Amino acid sequence: MAVPLQIHPSVASLPGPKDSYGRAMNYLRISLTDRCNFRCLYCMPAVGMKFQPRDEILTDEELIRTVGLFSQLGVNKIRLTGGEPTIRPHLVDIIREIRRFDGIDEVSMTTNALILSRNARELKDAGLDRINVSIDTLDPVKFKMMTRGGRFDLVWDGINAADEVGMKPIKLNTVVVRGHNEHEIDRMAELTLEHDWHVRFLEIMPMEGVGIVYDEGLVTSAESQATLEQRFGPLQPLETDPSDPARLWKIPGARGSIGFISPISAPFCEACNRVRLTADGKIRLCLIRPDEVDVRDAMRSGASDDDLLRLLRSGVWRKPWGHRVAEGDRNTIRGMSQIGG
Ligand code: SAM
Ligand code: SF4
């Protein structure tokens, strides 16, 4: 799908290093680990998933140093993700260290919430502002199938624990996959009647290792919206932050909102304000394109902070625009869990 090369005016004025199109990157998403306690069918292959050797993963010190350098360049928002970020050792300390940087205004996390009920309070106290939880269905049997073994009850406890300690707003991410959960997304949307949660429906992306699931499973946002409107009547549009990939709606009278994230049918490159740090220390410039900058090797070969700042600035400058997934280009090289979705 061709994407017009015109940036949204709001991304030019953000803090953070700029790319050659004039988009400023104020948002860094960090994959803390490529490992996970689930095996979601749209994220990892059923067999043959290879994990990176431990010595290739950034150490806590390298990770914190990289965040500090990005904050010097103007990045002010951090999201921790993975793999499953809650299984990274020293997560609480990592959050606390990140919060020490003056420039960092917000730290959030994307998690499957499986073990969140154990430590939501501790994470919040360390400085974690809010969470997004991936949950594709409210049916425990289907949940087990889609995550290849996940326990719905524990995830549900985790979401409620985060809500109780005030990690607001709670956002729930549902990847809609044909043949699995497309007929029950109304039950997910129904949660917004009772809770002030944001339930967001994502189009599946053809990441490395899950190409077949994408080919058979893509449900566009337009189709998901039509399914919901059949059940609830016309959704009410809500004003949306331009750099939020979700377009927001609401069931009239509901407490929460409904979002559609449409990387395939409506890419949001014009308002993109984010870069990613992979668990093995590469700056990933776009989720669906392979361009990367190696910070870890530069650090391990003795680069000074000035050298690294130059590397980050010139790397961000090369951030690409657009993808050609609809035309069959699947050149992502890595799976979602390795990049940090
Ligand atoms: N383990 C955490 C979780 O599941 O929330 C964080 C990592 S996960 C890779 C981050 C997000 O990527 C989740 O919301 C997940 O649903 C989404 N995701 C994974 N594979 C995807 C795919 N092929 N297409 C679209 N979204 C995907
Ligand atoms: Fe794990 Fe998240 Fe990928 Fe599911 S989507 S396998 S929970 S990393």
Side-chain angles (χ1 to χ4, degrees):
M1 169 171 304
V3 186
L5 281 170
Q6 197 169 15
I7 70 167
H8 192 285
S10 65
V11 286
S13 56
L14 292 170
K18 283 199 172 169
D19 73 2
S20 63
Y21 299 98
R23 297 174 293 184
M25 302 298 133
N26 71 320
Y27 186 12
L28 177 66
R29 299 172 72 113
I30 303 172
S31 174
L32 292 181
T33 171
D34 63 337
R35 290 168 166 76
C36 188
N37 37 18
F38 284 179
R39 292 286 180 276
C40 301
L41 58 89
Y42 47 75
C43 182
M44 295 191 186
V47 286
M49 186 72 198
K50 289 202 179 68
F51 296 103
Q52 281 154 322
R54 305 261 174 205
D55 63 348
E56 290 184 11
I57 303 294
L58 283 188
T59 63
D60 294 355
E61 291 72 26
E62 289 167 337
L63 183 94
I64 302 298
R65 185 178 178 199
T66 309
V67 175
L69 293 166
F70 266 113
S71 78
Q72 284 184 45
L73 293 176
V75 166
N76 61 357
K77 284 169 70 176
I78 302 288
R79 173 171 294 277
L80 305 174
T81 175
E84 178 46 42
T86 55
I87 63 172
R88 167 103 184 197
H90 317 133
L91 174 60
V92 170
D93 296 331
I94 289 172
I95 293 172
R96 213 175 277 124
E97 288 300 315
I98 291 176
R99 290 265 34 165
R100 284 195 212 280
F101 296 112
D102 283 341
I104 302 297
D105 301 328
E106 184 186 285
V107 179
S108 59
M109 181 169 78
T110 303
T111 173
N112 62 27
L114 182 72
I115 55 177
L116 196 62
S117 63
R118 289 192 217 155
N119 61 357
R121 166 56 60 200
E122 208 185 351
L123 293 170
K124 174 78 179 153
D125 290 346
L128 182 65
D129 294 303
R130 53 190 188 80
I131 54 155
N132 290 8
V133 178
S134 306
I135 173 168
D136 302 315
T137 170
L138 298 179
D139 173 343
V141 175
K142 189 153 282 182
F143 186 86
K144 195 166 204 162
M145 268 172 51
M146 289 189 77
T147 55
R148 302 202 184 94
R151 285 247 326 250
F152 177 82
D153 56 337
L154 296 181
V155 169
W156 190 249
D157 290 348
I159 295 170
N160 284 292
D163 197 20
E164 273 159 32
V165 301
M167 291 186 191
K168 307 254 186 206
I170 302 272
K171 295 186 183 177
L172 305 184
N173 289 345
T174 298
V175 180
V176 187
V177 191
R178 194 176 306 286
H180 292 273
N181 62 347
E182 85 276 27
H183 293 305
E184 44 182 303
I185 59 171
D186 59 333
R187 289 189 61 205
M188 292 299 309
E190 216 168 29
L191 292 173
T192 66
L193 297 176
E194 214 185 303
H195 303 276
D196 58 353
W197 296 346
H198 299 239
V199 176
R200 296 134 37 105
F201 298 101
L202 281 72
E203 289 177 350
I204 183 173
M205 288 181 258
M207 308 307 290
E208 186 66 21
V210 296
I212 294 172
V213 186
Y214 168 85
D215 288 334
E216 294 171 356
L218 175 68
V219 178
T220 63
S221 294
E223 187 179 338
S224 294
Q225 183 162 351
T227 304
L228 296 185
E229 292 194 330
Q230 252 176 23
R231 161 81 195 280
F232 299 106
L235 299 178
Q236 203 179 309
L238 294 179
E239 202 166 317
T240 308
D241 170 359
S243 57
D244 182 347
R247 300 300 95 195
L248 297 184
W249 303 76
K250 181 181 166 106
I251 301 170
R255 292 185 65 202
S257 70
I258 289 174
F260 296 100
I261 302 183
S262 321
I264 306 301
S265 66
F268 30 83
C269 308
E270 70 279 4
C272 187
N273 65 336
R274 60 201 57 195
V275 288
R276 294 175 164 82
L277 176 63
T278 64
D280 61 348
K282 316 285 186 258
I283 303 302
R284 176 82 173 200
L285 298 164
C286 172
L287 193 52
I288 332 189
R289 287 180 51 160
D291 315 60
E292 293 180 350
V293 179
D294 194 334
V295 187
R296 186 200 64 198
D297 282 1
M299 260 192 286
R300 290 187 184 176
S301 30
S304 68
D305 282 2
D306 282 346
D307 296 335
L308 292 171
L309 286 168
R310 258 193 305 279
L311 181 72
L312 297 180
R313 246 192 239 108
S314 62
V316 168
W317 184 258
R318 293 194 284 110
K319 181 175 162 83
W321 184 293
H323 62 73
R324 294 174 52 81
V325 169
E327 288 81 3
D329 185 352
R330 305 280 171 87
N331 192 15
T332 61
I333 309 284
R334 292 178 189 250
M336 189 71 100
S337 56
Q338 294 171 327
I339 301 168

